[in-house]
Structure formats: C-alpha cells, structure tokens
C-alpha cells in the first residue's frame, strides 16, 4: 500500500528536520496521473472495501475528481463533485434525494467532511461511509492507510545515525 501511495505522490518518504524533531514520512501532493496504474489500484481498494452506492461524492479539485471516477467505475456509480461557490456548497449535479452515497477524498479532512455531510443531510442522501486514501490518525474518515507522522528528537533519529541526513531512507 505504501508503495502505491508514494507512486501517486500522496505520501512522501524523506528524512526531514522540522525544528528540533526529525520526520521520516509526510503527506504529499496527490497526483493521480503521475502513475495511473497506482491510482487505479488505490481506487480498487476503496471500491472493494465499500458497500454498494449510487454515487461517489468527492471534494472540489481535479485530483479528487479523477480519484472519484476511478472508484466509481467498477462500482457502476456516478460521481458528484461538491464545491464552495460564493460561500454556498453546491454540487456538480446528479445528486438525488434519498440516494445512497460514499464520500471519497485523497486525504482525510474533518472540516470539509463535516460540510459535505451537512449538505448531504439537507439533500436527504444516505451517507453509507466516508473514505480517505490517507488518514492522519485523528480523522473520523476511514483511511486506507493511516499516516501518523513519526517525529523523534535528533539524538534518537535512526536516519541520522546511519548518515542519511537530508536523504531519502
């Protein structure tokens, strides 16, 4: 799983110094077209582990939309993008009342998840689940992979002890 996340840019494995602590893994910029095979495999994991739905709901953004379509295709579901327009949450269309939906996002974001869920409640949609490809350990979204960034003091950093300062482990 971690290899797929790296191939799509969602996770960056690199030894970095942040203040007095050292970090060996962090969330990167998701690029679903960087490695389309990896994106399709991640999407298949989401689709295979999710209940049957009529629509996949994704946040605004091209990367999220590509992920949504990759998840929706094997499920036979439509994709509905939600975005903010002049302070209002609107959909790209295709969302019907009482529709069973799955919320999918590249990275867990509880603030946008709450807005999306409020909008879906107003549409009387049945949210059967919320899935993020990468979670951060504290999100309420179900992650495929949970990235709890490991921070250690410089004196305890195994990468520094191995002479890997500033290099990829």
């Amino acid at each position: 799983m971690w290899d797929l996340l790296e191939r799509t840019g969602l996770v960056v494995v690199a030894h970095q110094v942040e203040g007095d602590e050292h970090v060996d893994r962090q969330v990167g910029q998701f690029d679903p077209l960087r490695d389309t095979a990896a994106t399709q495999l991640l999407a298949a994991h989401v689709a295979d582990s999710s209940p049957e739905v009529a629509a996949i709901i994704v946040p605004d953004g091209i990367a999220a939309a590509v992920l949504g379509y990759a998840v929706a295709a094997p499920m036979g579901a439509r994709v509905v993008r939600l975005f903010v327009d002049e302070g209002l949450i609107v959909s790209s269309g295709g969302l019907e009342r009482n529709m069973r939906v799955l919320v999918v996002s590249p990275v867990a974001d509880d603030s946008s998840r709450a807005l999306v869920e409020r909008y879906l409640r107003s549409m009387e949609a049945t949210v059967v689940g919320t899935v993020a490809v990468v979670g951060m350990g504290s999100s309420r979204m179900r992650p495929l992979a949970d990235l709890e960034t490991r921070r250690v003091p410089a004196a305890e950093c195994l990468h520094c002890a191995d002479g890997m300062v500033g290099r990829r482990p």
Side-chain angles (χ1 to χ4, degrees), residues 65-86:
V66 171
L67 176 63
Y69 280 101
V71 171
M75 297 178 82
R78 67 178 79 171
V79 175
V80 177
R81 291 182 316 112
L82 295 184
F83 51 94
V84 178
D85 183 22
E86 296 186 17

PDB file of all heavy atoms in Angstrom, residues 65-86:
ATOM      1  N   ALA A  65     -11.472  14.525  -8.241  1.00  0.00           N
ATOM      2  CA  ALA A  65     -12.425  14.084  -9.269  1.00  0.00           C
ATOM      3  C   ALA A  65     -11.905  12.847  -9.993  1.00  0.00           C
ATOM      4  O   ALA A  65     -12.661  11.894 -10.228  1.00  0.00           O
ATOM      5  CB  ALA A  65     -12.697  15.208 -10.256  1.00  0.00           C
ATOM      6  N   VAL A  66     -10.620  12.828 -10.335  1.00  0.00           N
ATOM      7  CA  VAL A  66     -10.038  11.660 -11.011  1.00  0.00           C
ATOM      8  C   VAL A  66     -10.139  10.439 -10.104  1.00  0.00           C
ATOM      9  O   VAL A  66     -10.533   9.358 -10.544  1.00  0.00           O
ATOM     10  CB  VAL A  66      -8.574  11.929 -11.429  1.00  0.00           C
ATOM     11  CG1 VAL A  66      -7.894  10.656 -11.921  1.00  0.00           C
ATOM     12  CG2 VAL A  66      -8.516  13.012 -12.501  1.00  0.00           C
ATOM     13  N   LEU A  67      -9.812  10.613  -8.827  1.00  0.00           N
ATOM     14  CA  LEU A  67      -9.933   9.510  -7.869  1.00  0.00           C
ATOM     15  C   LEU A  67     -11.388   9.044  -7.794  1.00  0.00           C
ATOM     16  O   LEU A  67     -11.664   7.843  -7.800  1.00  0.00           O
ATOM     17  CB  LEU A  67      -9.439   9.935  -6.486  1.00  0.00           C
ATOM     18  CG  LEU A  67      -9.594   8.893  -5.378  1.00  0.00           C
ATOM     19  CD1 LEU A  67      -8.759   7.652  -5.672  1.00  0.00           C
ATOM     20  CD2 LEU A  67      -9.226   9.504  -4.031  1.00  0.00           C
ATOM     21  N   GLY A  68     -12.312   9.985  -7.733  1.00  0.00           N
ATOM     22  CA  GLY A  68     -13.733   9.634  -7.667  1.00  0.00           C
ATOM     23  C   GLY A  68     -14.190   8.810  -8.854  1.00  0.00           C
ATOM     24  O   GLY A  68     -14.885   7.804  -8.694  1.00  0.00           O
ATOM     25  N   TYR A  69     -13.774   9.213 -10.051  1.00  0.00           N
ATOM     26  CA  TYR A  69     -14.157   8.446 -11.240  1.00  0.00           C
ATOM     27  C   TYR A  69     -13.517   7.054 -11.236  1.00  0.00           C
ATOM     28  O   TYR A  69     -14.145   6.079 -11.652  1.00  0.00           O
ATOM     29  CB  TYR A  69     -13.802   9.201 -12.522  1.00  0.00           C
ATOM     30  CG  TYR A  69     -14.813  10.269 -12.845  1.00  0.00           C
ATOM     31  CD1 TYR A  69     -14.552  11.607 -12.566  1.00  0.00           C
ATOM     32  CD2 TYR A  69     -16.044   9.951 -13.411  1.00  0.00           C
ATOM     33  CE1 TYR A  69     -15.496  12.584 -12.839  1.00  0.00           C
ATOM     34  CE2 TYR A  69     -16.989  10.919 -13.683  1.00  0.00           C
ATOM     35  CZ  TYR A  69     -16.707  12.242 -13.391  1.00  0.00           C
ATOM     36  OH  TYR A  69     -17.646  13.212 -13.660  1.00  0.00           O
ATOM     37  N   ALA A  70     -12.293   6.955 -10.756  1.00  0.00           N
ATOM     38  CA  ALA A  70     -11.623   5.656 -10.699  1.00  0.00           C
ATOM     39  C   ALA A  70     -12.316   4.726  -9.696  1.00  0.00           C
ATOM     40  O   ALA A  70     -12.399   3.523  -9.921  1.00  0.00           O
ATOM     41  CB  ALA A  70     -10.146   5.830 -10.342  1.00  0.00           C
ATOM     42  N   VAL A  71     -12.841   5.282  -8.594  1.00  0.00           N
ATOM     43  CA  VAL A  71     -13.574   4.479  -7.615  1.00  0.00           C
ATOM     44  C   VAL A  71     -14.952   4.114  -8.159  1.00  0.00           C
ATOM     45  O   VAL A  71     -15.419   2.988  -8.009  1.00  0.00           O
ATOM     46  CB  VAL A  71     -13.717   5.238  -6.272  1.00  0.00           C
ATOM     47  CG1 VAL A  71     -14.668   4.510  -5.327  1.00  0.00           C
ATOM     48  CG2 VAL A  71     -12.358   5.434  -5.615  1.00  0.00           C
ATOM     49  N   ALA A  72     -15.610   5.072  -8.810  1.00  0.00           N
ATOM     50  CA  ALA A  72     -16.990   4.881  -9.278  1.00  0.00           C
ATOM     51  C   ALA A  72     -17.104   3.867 -10.409  1.00  0.00           C
ATOM     52  O   ALA A  72     -18.093   3.127 -10.484  1.00  0.00           O
ATOM     53  CB  ALA A  72     -17.570   6.216  -9.721  1.00  0.00           C
ATOM     54  N   ALA A  73     -16.116   3.823 -11.291  1.00  0.00           N
ATOM     55  CA  ALA A  73     -16.209   2.968 -12.484  1.00  0.00           C
ATOM     56  C   ALA A  73     -16.502   1.505 -12.162  1.00  0.00           C
ATOM     57  O   ALA A  73     -17.469   0.949 -12.684  1.00  0.00           O
ATOM     58  CB  ALA A  73     -14.948   3.112 -13.337  1.00  0.00           C
ATOM     59  N   PRO A  74     -15.717   0.850 -11.298  1.00  0.00           N
ATOM     60  CA  PRO A  74     -16.018  -0.562 -11.030  1.00  0.00           C
ATOM     61  C   PRO A  74     -17.298  -0.767 -10.221  1.00  0.00           C
ATOM     62  O   PRO A  74     -17.855  -1.856 -10.208  1.00  0.00           O
ATOM     63  CB  PRO A  74     -14.794  -1.064 -10.250  1.00  0.00           C
ATOM     64  CG  PRO A  74     -14.180   0.146  -9.667  1.00  0.00           C
ATOM     65  CD  PRO A  74     -14.480   1.270 -10.615  1.00  0.00           C
ATOM     66  N   MET A  75     -17.772   0.298  -9.566  1.00  0.00           N
ATOM     67  CA  MET A  75     -18.976   0.196  -8.750  1.00  0.00           C
ATOM     68  C   MET A  75     -20.239   0.507  -9.555  1.00  0.00           C
ATOM     69  O   MET A  75     -21.343   0.312  -9.064  1.00  0.00           O
ATOM     70  CB  MET A  75     -18.883   1.150  -7.553  1.00  0.00           C
ATOM     71  CG  MET A  75     -17.756   0.843  -6.608  1.00  0.00           C
ATOM     72  SD  MET A  75     -17.658   2.025  -5.254  1.00  0.00           S
ATOM     73  CE  MET A  75     -18.909   1.360  -4.160  1.00  0.00           C
ATOM     74  N   GLY A  76     -20.061   1.041 -10.762  1.00  0.00           N
ATOM     75  CA  GLY A  76     -21.213   1.435 -11.562  1.00  0.00           C
ATOM     76  C   GLY A  76     -21.939   2.629 -10.968  1.00  0.00           C
ATOM     77  O   GLY A  76     -23.146   2.802 -11.164  1.00  0.00           O
ATOM     78  N   ALA A  77     -21.223   3.480 -10.254  1.00  0.00           N
ATOM     79  CA  ALA A  77     -21.813   4.646  -9.594  1.00  0.00           C
ATOM     80  C   ALA A  77     -21.475   5.917 -10.359  1.00  0.00           C
ATOM     81  O   ALA A  77     -20.527   5.950 -11.141  1.00  0.00           O
ATOM     82  CB  ALA A  77     -21.291   4.748  -8.157  1.00  0.00           C
ATOM     83  N   ARG A  78     -22.244   6.944 -10.136  1.00  0.00           N
ATOM     84  CA  ARG A  78     -21.935   8.254 -10.729  1.00  0.00           C
ATOM     85  C   ARG A  78     -21.054   9.035  -9.763  1.00  0.00           C
ATOM     86  O   ARG A  78     -20.967   8.696  -8.589  1.00  0.00           O
ATOM     87  CB  ARG A  78     -23.208   9.017 -11.062  1.00  0.00           C
ATOM     88  CG  ARG A  78     -24.001   9.433  -9.843  1.00  0.00           C
ATOM     89  CD  ARG A  78     -25.237  10.232 -10.191  1.00  0.00           C
ATOM     90  NE  ARG A  78     -26.273   9.316 -10.636  1.00  0.00           N
ATOM     91  CZ  ARG A  78     -27.517   9.650 -10.844  1.00  0.00           C
ATOM     92  NH1 ARG A  78     -27.904  10.890 -10.652  1.00  0.00           N
ATOM     93  NH2 ARG A  78     -28.404   8.773 -11.240  1.00  0.00           N
ATOM     94  N   VAL A  79     -20.418  10.078 -10.263  1.00  0.00           N
ATOM     95  CA  VAL A  79     -19.564  10.932  -9.443  1.00  0.00           C
ATOM     96  C   VAL A  79     -20.231  12.298  -9.312  1.00  0.00           C
ATOM     97  O   VAL A  79     -20.682  12.868 -10.298  1.00  0.00           O
ATOM     98  CB  VAL A  79     -18.161  11.105 -10.063  1.00  0.00           C
ATOM     99  CG1 VAL A  79     -17.323  12.089  -9.263  1.00  0.00           C
ATOM    100  CG2 VAL A  79     -17.468   9.755 -10.145  1.00  0.00           C
ATOM    101  N   VAL A  80     -20.285  12.788  -8.090  1.00  0.00           N
ATOM    102  CA  VAL A  80     -20.820  14.117  -7.816  1.00  0.00           C
ATOM    103  C   VAL A  80     -19.740  14.900  -7.080  1.00  0.00           C
ATOM    104  O   VAL A  80     -19.266  14.472  -6.024  1.00  0.00           O
ATOM    105  CB  VAL A  80     -22.102  14.051  -6.960  1.00  0.00           C
ATOM    106  CG1 VAL A  80     -22.607  15.445  -6.634  1.00  0.00           C
ATOM    107  CG2 VAL A  80     -23.175  13.227  -7.668  1.00  0.00           C
ATOM    108  N   ARG A  81     -19.328  16.024  -7.679  1.00  0.00           N
ATOM    109  CA  ARG A  81     -18.339  16.893  -7.035  1.00  0.00           C
ATOM    110  C   ARG A  81     -19.062  17.954  -6.220  1.00  0.00           C
ATOM    111  O   ARG A  81     -20.039  18.545  -6.685  1.00  0.00           O
ATOM    112  CB  ARG A  81     -17.458  17.589  -8.070  1.00  0.00           C
ATOM    113  CG  ARG A  81     -16.509  16.666  -8.799  1.00  0.00           C
ATOM    114  CD  ARG A  81     -15.607  17.401  -9.791  1.00  0.00           C
ATOM    115  NE  ARG A  81     -16.302  18.381 -10.598  1.00  0.00           N
ATOM    116  CZ  ARG A  81     -16.130  19.711 -10.507  1.00  0.00           C
ATOM    117  NH1 ARG A  81     -15.289  20.215  -9.640  1.00  0.00           N
ATOM    118  NH2 ARG A  81     -16.798  20.536 -11.284  1.00  0.00           N
ATOM    119  N   LEU A  82     -18.591  18.184  -5.011  1.00  0.00           N
ATOM    120  CA  LEU A  82     -19.118  19.259  -4.181  1.00  0.00           C
ATOM    121  C   LEU A  82     -18.058  20.341  -4.078  1.00  0.00           C
ATOM    122  O   LEU A  82     -16.878  20.049  -3.915  1.00  0.00           O
ATOM    123  CB  LEU A  82     -19.478  18.752  -2.786  1.00  0.00           C
ATOM    124  CG  LEU A  82     -20.596  17.734  -2.700  1.00  0.00           C
ATOM    125  CD1 LEU A  82     -20.898  17.417  -1.237  1.00  0.00           C
ATOM    126  CD2 LEU A  82     -21.855  18.204  -3.395  1.00  0.00           C
ATOM    127  N   PHE A  83     -18.490  21.582  -4.180  1.00  0.00           N
ATOM    128  CA  PHE A  83     -17.554  22.694  -4.080  1.00  0.00           C
ATOM    129  C   PHE A  83     -18.252  23.901  -3.491  1.00  0.00           C
ATOM    130  O   PHE A  83     -19.489  23.942  -3.405  1.00  0.00           O
ATOM    131  CB  PHE A  83     -16.922  23.008  -5.444  1.00  0.00           C
ATOM    132  CG  PHE A  83     -17.910  23.180  -6.557  1.00  0.00           C
ATOM    133  CD1 PHE A  83     -18.385  24.435  -6.913  1.00  0.00           C
ATOM    134  CD2 PHE A  83     -18.374  22.076  -7.252  1.00  0.00           C
ATOM    135  CE1 PHE A  83     -19.303  24.576  -7.940  1.00  0.00           C
ATOM    136  CE2 PHE A  83     -19.287  22.213  -8.284  1.00  0.00           C
ATOM    137  CZ  PHE A  83     -19.756  23.475  -8.628  1.00  0.00           C
ATOM    138  N   VAL A  84     -17.462  24.871  -3.056  1.00  0.00           N
ATOM    139  CA  VAL A  84     -17.990  26.090  -2.465  1.00  0.00           C
ATOM    140  C   VAL A  84     -18.022  27.167  -3.544  1.00  0.00           C
ATOM    141  O   VAL A  84     -17.015  27.432  -4.198  1.00  0.00           O
ATOM    142  CB  VAL A  84     -17.133  26.548  -1.268  1.00  0.00           C
ATOM    143  CG1 VAL A  84     -17.665  27.847  -0.690  1.00  0.00           C
ATOM    144  CG2 VAL A  84     -17.095  25.468  -0.204  1.00  0.00           C
ATOM    145  N   ASP A  85     -19.197  27.772  -3.731  1.00  0.00           N
ATOM    146  CA  ASP A  85     -19.379  28.843  -4.704  1.00  0.00           C
ATOM    147  C   ASP A  85     -19.998  30.032  -3.988  1.00  0.00           C
ATOM    148  O   ASP A  85     -21.151  29.965  -3.561  1.00  0.00           O
ATOM    149  CB  ASP A  85     -20.283  28.379  -5.845  1.00  0.00           C
ATOM    150  CG  ASP A  85     -20.452  29.431  -6.932  1.00  0.00           C
ATOM    151  OD1 ASP A  85     -19.580  30.325  -7.037  1.00  0.00           O
ATOM    152  OD2 ASP A  85     -21.458  29.370  -7.658  1.00  0.00           O
ATOM    153  N   GLU A  86     -19.212  31.090  -3.807  1.00  0.00           N
ATOM    154  CA  GLU A  86     -19.649  32.291  -3.107  1.00  0.00           C
ATOM    155  C   GLU A  86     -20.237  31.974  -1.736  1.00  0.00           C
ATOM    156  O   GLU A  86     -21.277  32.475  -1.341  1.00  0.00           O
ATOM    157  CB  GLU A  86     -20.643  33.079  -3.962  1.00  0.00           C
ATOM    158  CG  GLU A  86     -20.017  33.598  -5.246  1.00  0.00           C
ATOM    159  CD  GLU A  86     -20.956  34.502  -6.032  1.00  0.00           C
ATOM    160  OE1 GLU A  86     -21.954  34.984  -5.472  1.00  0.00           O
ATOM    161  OE2 GLU A  86     -20.656  34.725  -7.213  1.00  0.00           O
TER     162      GLU A  86
END
